[in-house]
Amino acid sequence: MSGEKFNKYIDRRNFLKLSGLFLSIPLLNACRFFSPNYTFPVTIVGANSKTGHLLRENKFPAPVKTIIENTIIVGGGISGLSAARWLKKNNFHDFKLFELDTKTGGNSKSGENRISKYPFAAHYLPIPNENFPELIEFLHEHKIITGFDSSGLPLYDEYFICFEPQERFFYRGIWHDGLPPKSGLNESEVLEINRFSEITENYKNKIGKDNKPAFTIPLELSSTDEEFLSLDKITIAEYLRNNEFKSDFLGWYLNYCCKDDFGSTIENTSAWAAIHYFASRNGKAANALSSDVLVWPEGNQFLAAKLEKEISNHLKTEYLTYRVERYGNQWICFVYDVKNKESIKYVCQNIILASPQFVNKKILAFDTGIDFNTLNYYPWLVANISIKNKKSLNGAEDLCWDNVLYSSKSLGYVNACHQSIDSSKSETVITYYYNFSESDPKTERESIYSKDDNYWKEFIVNDLKKAHPKIEESITEIEINILGHGMISPSKNFRSEPSRKILEAGFENLYFAHSDVSGISIFEQAFYRGIAAAKQLLKNRTHDKL
């Protein structure tokens, strides 16, 4: 689900060759009929939400003991694991990492059945930017980068580079190669796509007066010139209207991209963030394109497992931090041990909060000055669907890694078995994504939590039937993961939001590390924020010793 391919202009000859054909083909019936006799099971997973909801009840027993610990890291997502790894790499070992779930990874967690591993959410990593040596080093350490050529460009393990065909798009009743498609659009749609692409390509090459790139990853290394930051004062929908973009298709495509990376629509996504999506990546490799992505059957859990392995002896799972308060020049963490059903009081010098802010607002027991209401997290539904005959999904084309439907408000689905070299295997697991951001987050959450598994079975199958009319005949089971709070959504003015400035600064010996501090939730930002928090802790610790 990468937007990078957007910067490859559509050739006018391609759409002229086939546009007439597509216009003559009747639209596929929406397939709103539903067979009530589906026999495959549906399971709703995500037990961590039950543990997390203990925070809402706030009925924890009194602590049974007090433990002195130099440093506590709260949260075992990518940012927490990254912070822990960086501390350990720099010979700092006096810390513990608490994760409320049974396993680490956060939005990178995954599942597995007899067919394959599969992601619950985050599922790919684009080729990293050149200006991110810490990430390049990590990938090299774990042999994802196998070496470097004579020019210093990284060589990636080719098994991890997404195989072709990578993307396809269901539009006007036919599967098309690529997204945006290389054919099937009318001339005005192509012209608008190319005009927007020229704008983002121009931004991709711009350098600010501060000698920083206009847009890059990590986000914090981007230019702060007003020329670029002014884009944060409007939504991308406003930007399109201000610049007289009128194509429904372009609006749909950008809405898809915003939902993909930000979990929000074009009407509530910062124009700066949306353009950053297209203009921020400049990754180079000896054997891959900058638009390529690294993928694994289990998604980014593959990377989370590498991080966890480096710090496993510091990790405690099913440890729910439910209160953080000041204690003189120290901090106290009140933690609930889910397995033993007891509370523990930890007195520590430093805290790295790698938990999202919708959690932190419940556990921080002092006046932070942070307006948590300015931070939005829309809910998601992710369904892993076991398919007994993958040929039933092919249509006239090969099954791709990423499969997107124009006629759906979903994000489509990815093929978890795409990297399998066993082409004779008939079974696969597809991971279906749906973002609920049409209304306000609270309303969306209340709505999705009121539905049962039969509702979701109909919802998912009927949506996929728009492209695969008989898909129910190939489904053997569906596993659903409902995320009440997905990634942070960068609304307009997110870069200048005072609460984010507080999060960036932190408090004395308390550091915020979650990717929502950046306002954009991607693997690279979580990895960076963890390192940034760990570096600040180590710097302050060194000063204390002087």
Side-chain angles (χ1 to χ4, degrees):
M1 293 185 175
S2 169
E4 287 301 294
K5 300 246 173 129
F6 183 76
N7 283 326
K8 295 181 178 179
Y9 296 178
I10 297 177
D11 189 330
R12 186 173 183 272
R13 288 175 297 179
N14 286 333
F15 85 83
L16 287 174
K17 183 167 61 175
L18 292 175
S19 58
L21 170 63
F22 298 139
L23 286 170
S24 67
I25 296 177
L27 299 181
L28 184 69
N29 187 286
C31 300
R32 297 192 180 276
F33 59 89
F34 180 79
S35 170
N37 298 317
Y38 294 161
T39 58
F40 53 81
V42 174
T43 305
I44 296 180
V45 298
N48 65 311
S49 62
K50 183 178 180 181
T51 301
H53 285 170
L54 292 173
L55 282 173
R56 186 184 304 166
E57 300 168 10
N58 196 24
K59 296 178 180 179
F60 298 99
V64 297
K65 57 186 173 183
T66 298
I67 297 176
I68 307 298
E69 188 74 50
N70 183 280
T71 297
I72 297 295
I73 301 174
V74 179
I78 298 302
S79 58
L81 294 170
S82 177
R85 171 182 173 272
W86 194 261
L87 291 178
K88 194 162 185 179
K89 280 179 67 69
N90 286 274
N91 298 314
F92 184 83
H93 304 279
D94 194 1
F95 69 89
K96 289 287 189 295
L97 189 157
F98 298 151
E99 165 56 37
L100 69 85
D101 204 351
T102 56
K103 61 192 292 190
T104 62
N107 283 344
S108 294
K109 288 196 290 289
S110 67
E112 183 175 5
N113 62 16
R114 63 177 184 79
I115 300 173
S116 176
K117 297 178 180 179
Y118 43 78
F120 282 158
H123 56 281
Y124 67 95
L125 174 65
I127 298 297
N129 282 2
E130 292 180 289
N131 61 340
F132 205 164
E134 295 91 345
L135 181 52
I136 297 292
E137 176 192 32
F138 166 70
L139 297 177
H140 189 209
E141 284 178 3
H142 292 282
K143 297 181 173 52
I144 298 164
I145 292 175
T146 59
F148 300 86
D149 71 3
S150 58
S151 301
L153 294 177
L155 286 155
Y156 287 88
D157 186 325
E158 294 194 357
Y159 182 73
F160 302 142
I161 301 171
C162 188
F163 296 162
E164 293 292 343
Q166 188 176 126
E167 292 175 311
R168 66 174 180 168
F169 177 58
F170 192 74
Y171 184 55
R172 294 179 175 174
I174 289 179
W175 285 105
H176 303 262
D177 179 35
L179 183 63
K182 296 176 181 177
S183 59
L185 303 181
N186 63 45
E187 186 168 8
S188 63
E189 290 170 333
V190 172
L191 289 174
E192 287 219 343
I193 287 175
N194 285 347
R195 180 159 71 95
F196 188 80
S197 183
E198 287 171 357
I199 290 171
T200 58
E201 193 69 19
N202 184 41
Y203 276 123
K204 195 169 189 177
N205 297 316
K206 275 197 171 185
I207 302 295
K209 295 176 183 177
D210 50 9
N211 291 320
K212 294 181 179 180
F215 299 91
T216 193
I217 298 172
L219 174 155
E220 288 78 359
L221 303 183
S222 299
S223 175
T224 56
D225 276 7
E226 182 59 25
E227 175 189 356
F228 312 127
L229 290 184
S230 62
L231 292 166
D232 190 44
K233 298 176 182 178
I234 59 174
T235 66
I236 187 60
E238 290 173 311
Y239 178 89
L240 293 177
R241 290 190 288 267
N242 293 346
N243 288 274
E244 298 185 344
F245 285 99
K246 300 177 182 179
S247 164
D248 288 341
F249 183 87
L250 179 63
W252 174 90
Y253 178 66
L254 294 181
N255 200 55
Y256 161 84
C257 292
C258 287
K259 284 189 171 186
D260 178 28
D261 252 30
F262 311 131
S264 55
T265 68
I266 57 175
E267 295 293 346
N268 48 34
T269 299
S270 159
W272 190 96
I275 290 175
H276 180 273
Y277 178 90
F278 296 102
S280 59
R281 299 194 183 279
N282 66 356
K284 294 181 180 178
N287 61 337
L289 302 173
S290 63
S291 58
D292 280 331
V293 292
L294 306 170
V295 296
W296 304 271
E298 67 270 44
N300 288 358
Q301 182 68 49
F302 179 88
L303 300 170
K306 304 294 185 187
L307 289 167
E308 180 187 318
K309 186 175 181 180
E310 296 189 44
I311 56 90
S312 58
N313 58 330
H314 298 269
L315 173 66
K316 287 186 174 293
T317 57
E318 295 189 89
Y319 262 49
L320 170 62
T321 301
Y322 63 87
R323 184 178 175 87
V324 172
E325 62 184 44
R326 291 182 184 272
Y327 181 66
N329 62 350
Q330 296 178 309
W331 296 93
I332 297 179
C333 278
F334 293 87
V335 180
Y336 182 64
D337 180 344
V338 177
K339 294 176 184 175
N340 296 314
K341 294 182 171 55
E342 62 182 25
S343 292
I344 306 168
K345 181 166 73 173
Y346 283 86
V347 179
C348 54
Q349 294 294 323
N350 309 288
I351 296 179
I352 294 179
L353 283 179
S355 41
Q357 306 317 314
F358 61 82
V359 171
N360 293 341
K361 73 176 181 180
K362 297 180 181 297
I363 69 176
L364 292 173
F366 61 96
D367 184 12
T368 63
I370 299 170
D371 183 359
F372 291 104
N373 292 324
T374 63
L375 308 173
N376 291 320
Y377 306 79
Y378 291 92
W380 283 76
L381 177 146
V382 182
N384 280 285
I385 305 166
S386 297
I387 301 292
K388 63 184 177 183
N389 179 18
K390 66 182 180 182
K391 289 184 179 181
S392 66
L393 305 178
N394 287 5
E397 304 293 337
D398 291 331
L399 180 62
C400 294
W401 169 67
D402 189 14
N403 307 266
V404 181
L405 285 62
Y406 181 78
S407 55
S408 169
K409 289 185 178 180
S410 75
L411 278 297
Y413 60 88
V414 295
N415 175 20
C417 298
H418 186 68
Q419 299 300 98
S420 173
I421 58 176
D422 183 6
S423 59
S424 64
K425 188 176 181 180
S426 62
E427 294 179 297
T428 191
V429 177
I430 61 172
T431 308
Y432 169 90
Y433 293 86
Y434 200 104
N435 166 245
F436 297 89
S437 56
E438 303 295 327
S439 183
D440 67 277
K442 183 179 179 182
T443 300
E444 295 282 19
R445 270 191 292 277
E446 290 174 350
S447 175
I448 65 171
Y449 279 129
S450 68
K451 307 295 194 300
D452 61 17
D453 53 357
N454 285 323
Y455 173 87
W456 292 122
K457 179 190 290 189
E458 294 188 23
F459 181 92
I460 294 164
V461 174
N462 278 343
D463 193 27
L464 289 173
K465 283 166 76 79
K466 296 168 184 174
H468 308 296
K470 297 183 179 181
I471 190 171
E472 74 274 17
E473 297 177 5
S474 289
I475 297 175
T476 56
E477 64 177 308
I478 299 179
E479 183 177 276
I480 297 172
N481 188 25
I482 295 176
L483 305 170
H485 297 77
M487 74 275 276
I488 185 73
S489 297
S491 55
K492 66 179 180 180
N493 296 314
F494 85 99
R495 292 216 63 194
S496 59
E497 170 56 49
S499 294
R500 282 194 58 251
K501 301 299 181 183
I502 297 173
L503 292 170
E504 288 177 345
F507 300 95
E508 185 179 1
N509 296 338
L510 186 151
Y511 312 92
F512 294 95
H514 198 272
S515 61
D516 58 12
V517 176
S518 299
I520 290 179
S521 180
I522 54 178
F523 179 90
E524 300 99 312
Q525 286 297 147
F527 188 82
Y528 172 83
R529 290 306 320 175
I531 292 174
K535 283 183 176 179
Q536 192 60 40
L537 185 154
L538 294 171
K539 179 181 177 182
N540 290 344
R541 179 171 173 266
T542 301
H543 288 170
D544 292 341
K545 290 182 176 181
L546 296 179

